[in-house]
Amino acid sequence: MTKKDMIKLIQKREAELFLELKKTDKVFGSESEMHKRARSAWVGVKKLMEDLGIKSDLQLPESIEVGEMILEKYNQTNPV
């Protein structure tokens, strides 16, 4: 596996974990045990990425889905 492949794999995993985090927040709430576990998993990978200087890939399908979820939540809490 090349360094580039490793970086892509880490980015993909971070995006998957962030999507899972947002889904558990939406379904179970931010104080639920499921959400806390999902947050811990995501934070571990995110900190590793920061230590290695790897940026999130916002073009991944999971990242796009998270962006849509965040925008939807924002629009619900801030009607025009």
Side-chain angles (χ1 to χ4, degrees):
M1 183 178 283
T2 66
K3 184 177 177 181
K4 186 176 181 177
D5 291 335
M6 288 183 222
I7 290 170
K8 286 183 178 187
L9 183 63
I10 293 169
Q11 289 172 318
K12 174 84 168 147
R13 186 66 181 135
E14 184 269 336
E16 292 168 346
L17 289 170
F18 195 51
L19 178 57
E20 183 64 26
L21 174 65
K22 291 300 181 184
K23 285 181 177 180
T24 58
D25 180 36
K26 186 175 183 177
V27 174
F28 301 107
S30 61
E31 296 303 315
S32 70
E33 194 60 35
M34 294 289 290
H35 184 264
K36 291 175 185 177
R37 288 182 190 156
R39 184 176 54 228
S40 292
W42 173 73
V43 166
V45 173
K46 189 64 175 170
K47 285 185 177 184
L48 174 65
M49 289 176 68
E50 289 173 4
D51 291 344
L52 297 173
I54 299 172
K55 295 181 180 179
S56 297
D57 183 349
L58 302 179
Q59 302 303 313
L60 291 170
E62 296 86 355
S63 297
I64 293 169
E65 187 174 345
V66 166
E68 291 169 353
M69 290 174 73
I70 291 170
L71 186 59
E72 178 184 328
K73 187 174 182 177
Y74 175 82
N75 287 336
Q76 288 175 351
T77 58
N78 299 294
V80 177

